[in-house]
Amino acid sequence: MKWTTERRYRRYEDWTEEEIKQLKEKNAQSPWHTSYHVEPATGLLNDPNGFSCFDGKWVVFYQNFPFGAAHGLKSWVQLESDDLVHFTETGVKVLPDTPLDSHGAYSGSAMQFGDQLFLFYTGNVRDENWIRHPYQIGALMDKTGKIEKIDKVLIDQPVDSTDHFRDPQIFNFKGQYYAIVGGQDLEKKGFVRLYKAMENDYTNWQAVGDLDFANDRTAYMMECPNLVFVGEQPVLLYCPQGLDKSVLDYDNIYPNMYKIGASFNPENAKMVDVSQLQNMDYGFEAYATQGFNAPDGRALAVSWLGLPDVSYPSDSFEHQGTFSLVKELTIQDGKLYQYPVKAIENLRASEQVFGNQEKTSNTYELELKLEANSQTEIVLLADKEGKGLSINFDLVNGQVTVDRSQAGEQYAQEFGSTRSCPIEVKATTANIFIDKSVFEIFINKGEKVFSGRVFPHTDQNGILIKSGNPTGTYYELDYGRKTN
Ligand code: FRU
């Protein structure tokens, strides 16, 4: 069935029970469902939205098109957690059901005010000529999950922006609420605009100006900007679409980048002493990362392990996209570290010395030690012939390379099937999480990260040490209960 515009934007109530039943049956047949990574109940999952703490629980929503593996009429689907590892769908959704979000409840953020969670998001509206009107709008969710939409536009499309203006993130800086929104100016260059909540009223926003983060102005759009604070230091996480590769090289269709500032000056919308641009993730997928500062001050982040405008092997089972693990962000020696929250260790069900294995469940964590000046290649998701996901730690030349060209079904090959990043040649650790069709590799406890999807064949479930002498531990991971 072709995904025509009409089919993508068909109203939710027009999908028949029979169609949904068939969709669920197809979905259930997929060999690539994850065990401990959030994935959609059905259809497509993209950006994390509304990541927050509410009523003593962690809350995050996912952008969802529920009727198949396509980008169509989007809604938010809520998940709850008490440990940032186990997430459960609550049934609460933000549906595209008003004139201000008729063509999609697009991405946004959340913040608790009193007894309610304020959801700040983009209402995507298309008029009869299919012209887009992006409205930054809000909704209030109470403790029972009842959602009431605020019946007015909170931030209008600025006169100096095209219709690409979206993804508001609300944040608190020293007791004052601010928001940033990503956009595209009339010269088709991306920008991030800072707004201030007048008298701290989240329905009354005034522009402060364009966030000054030493924008190189090569990207045509900034999607999903997030400002989080690690101590005093602002970290801007964002997705500069079309970023010129001479500014910073990347392989994925669109990159997820960051910059760190020494401090933040909201009066003139400035990130002071801003760092060089850096790639958040060296793998094949990690996009639309959403970060927020938890009540205890920690900067937490979660990414979409998927990319826009890419088809996936799981599409044939009508599901696409997962979340990354929840990562804590820290800064060490001026560098951003991203590492899964401590509670992930609770999934470790049994352990053994790391070594070759003919058959695993493909749900494990490896904690490896690599000696200085050593060269090591391991193959995960390996079949009998040793074909699988190859990870090469070259601590002679200072490079880690991940090669998925032999790991099951291939896709997005026009963007290459290997990814590399430079590392220092000293002794190194690698924590590698494998979950059926997801891998996340954290070098030196999060100094460098490679995330991505793989769609292994059914016989690809071994571990092979091809060269070198890596030592460490294999932990079988047991989620206990499934996400959905
Ligand atoms: C990023 C994005 C956002 C938008 C949402 C729509 O992946 O394009 O900019 O709000 O997805 O689903």
Side-chain angles (χ1 to χ4, degrees):
M1 184 73 77
K2 238 188 124 242
W3 284 105
T4 57
T5 302
E6 200 187 337
R7 196 169 155 79
R8 288 173 199 267
Y9 288 90
R10 205 169 145 197
R11 307 310 308 171
Y12 279 23
E13 56 275 19
D14 294 342
W15 291 86
T16 65
E17 272 179 32
E18 183 52 33
E19 284 170 313
I20 292 166
K21 189 170 149 254
Q22 281 177 16
L23 180 72
K24 285 188 177 156
E25 280 168 8
K26 215 172 193 187
N27 196 352
Q29 287 161 15
S30 171
W32 294 309
H33 286 300
T34 55
S35 159
Y36 58 94
H37 282 80
V38 169
E39 57 177 3
T42 58
L44 179 140
L45 167 154
N46 59 309
D47 312 355
N49 293 158
F51 192 17
S52 55
C53 189
F54 178 52
D55 196 21
K57 287 214 170 86
W58 303 105
V59 170
V60 67
F61 296 76
Y62 61 86
Q63 276 278 285
N64 182 219
F65 175 66
F67 305 107
H71 288 270
L73 187 54
K74 296 281 176 70
S75 48
W76 290 27
V77 176
Q78 194 199 33
L79 304 158
E80 240 177 36
S81 173
D82 31 52
D83 60 0
L84 292 167
V85 172
H86 295 87
F87 286 91
T88 315
E89 279 200 18
T90 61
V92 174
K93 294 178 179 153
V94 182
L95 295 169
D97 58 1
T98 75
L100 293 179
D101 58 16
S102 56
H103 291 70
Y106 275 12
S107 288
S109 52
M111 177 78 72
Q112 180 166 354
F113 286 93
D115 279 348
Q116 292 171 309
L117 188 68
F118 169 61
L119 311 178
F120 198 8
Y121 67 104
T122 303
N124 183 51
V125 173
R126 297 276 190 175
D127 65 19
E128 55 287 359
N129 300 315
W130 206 246
I131 292 174
R132 188 204 302 270
H133 301 278
Y135 299 121
Q136 311 316 310
I137 53 178
L140 290 165
M141 188 182 87
D142 72 13
K143 291 185 176 175
T144 68
K146 195 162 86 28
I147 289 184
E148 229 167 90
K149 294 190 178 172
I150 300 169
D151 191 19
K152 67 169 190 179
V153 177
L154 304 183
I155 301 179
D156 254 316
Q157 179 181 338
V159 289
D160 58 348
S161 177
T162 70
D163 62 346
H164 290 290
F165 183 66
R166 54 180 177 264
D167 310 337
Q169 184 224 0
I170 182 170
F171 62 95
N172 181 335
F173 182 72
K174 299 191 193 296
Q176 168 68 51
Y177 293 102
Y178 294 92
I180 50 174
V181 184
Q184 176 186 67
D185 69 20
L186 303 180
E187 290 169 9
K188 302 267 161 75
K189 301 293 180 204
F191 66 86
V192 175
R193 192 149 298 169
L194 179 72
Y195 292 82
K196 182 175 180 179
M198 302 316 286
E199 292 168 11
N200 262 344
D201 170 2
Y202 54 76
T203 66
N204 186 2
W205 295 96
Q206 217 167 74
V208 180
D210 282 356
L211 184 69
D212 179 355
F213 58 100
N215 183 355
D216 60 78
R217 285 183 56 81
T218 64
Y220 61 78
M221 171 63 189
M222 307 302 190
E223 291 193 309
C224 303
N226 282 249
L227 204 52
V228 293
F229 292 86
V230 178
E232 284 291 298
Q233 293 192 264
V235 182
L236 180 69
L237 316 172
Y238 65 115
C239 301
Q241 290 184 304
L243 178 83
D244 194 311
K245 293 190 179 179
S246 66
V247 176
L248 184 65
D249 203 12
Y250 57 94
D251 294 318
N252 296 345
I253 182 168
Y254 307 122
N256 201 163
M257 299 274 175
Y258 72 90
K259 282 189 176 186
I260 304 178
S263 61
F264 176 55
N265 181 344
E267 277 76 52
N268 51 11
K270 191 171 172 58
M271 283 175 73
V272 179
D273 285 340
V274 87
S275 72
Q276 292 286 332
L277 187 63
Q278 304 276 357
N279 202 341
M280 279 200 81
D281 197 294
Y282 291 90
F284 300 93
E285 278 82 22
Y287 197 73
T289 301
Q290 183 161 82
F292 88 107
N293 284 99
D296 62 11
R298 276 183 302 166
L300 300 173
V302 59
S303 310
W304 167 30
L305 298 187
L307 286 168
D309 305 331
V310 170
S311 299
Y312 285 83
S314 60
D315 293 4
S316 53
F317 296 98
E318 299 297 2
H319 71 98
Q320 191 190 118
T322 74
F323 277 177
S324 69
L325 299 174
V326 173
K327 300 165 276 195
E328 187 177 341
L329 307 181
T330 54
I331 296 176
Q332 296 168 40
D333 296 331
K335 280 187 277 192
L336 187 73
Y337 279 65
Q338 313 165 57
Y339 198 71
V341 292
K342 181 96 178 131
I344 196 71
E345 289 178 7
N346 298 337
L347 299 188
R348 294 174 176 176
S350 62
E351 62 178 86
Q352 62 194 76
V353 172
F354 174 71
N356 290 320
Q357 278 194 59
E358 245 172 55
K359 194 168 163 24
T360 74
S361 57
N362 283 348
T363 49
Y364 55 84
E365 177 191 352
L366 304 176
E367 185 161 70
L368 302 184
K369 286 197 200 80
L370 305 148
E371 299 302 327
N373 303 307
S374 65
Q375 287 177 316
T376 302
E377 184 183 357
I378 60 171
V379 182
L380 309 179
L381 308 160
D383 64 16
K384 298 273 172 305
E385 291 162 21
K387 289 189 179 141
L389 179 72
S390 149
I391 310 172
N392 203 317
F393 301 93
D394 183 346
L395 300 186
V396 174
N397 298 301
Q399 178 158 287
V400 179
T401 301
V402 179
D403 180 344
R404 68 174 178 189
S405 63
Q406 311 272 302
E409 302 284 325
Q410 298 298 300
Y411 66 101
Q413 281 165 300
E414 62 273 37
F415 302 102
S417 47
T418 64
R419 294 289 185 270
S420 294
C421 85
I423 52 162
E424 290 175 46
V425 296
K426 57 185 192 196
T428 298
T429 64
N431 287 74
I432 304 174
F433 293 84
I434 296 290
D435 184 6
K436 308 287 190 193
S437 59
V438 172
F439 69 87
E440 293 184 75
I441 303 170
F442 298 90
I443 312 279
N444 276 335
K445 299 276 174 190
E447 183 186 348
K448 298 276 168 62
V449 185
F450 287 85
S451 308
R453 302 297 307 274
V454 265
F455 297 90
H457 300 136
T458 44
D459 61 344
Q460 293 192 296
N461 47 22
I463 294 177
L464 178 73
I465 300 170
K466 254 193 147 163
S467 60
N469 280 309
T471 56
T473 310
Y474 168 99
Y475 296 98
E476 184 69 29
L477 299 187
D478 182 4
Y479 192 76
R481 55 200 149 95
K482 184 71 185 76
T483 313
N484 299 312

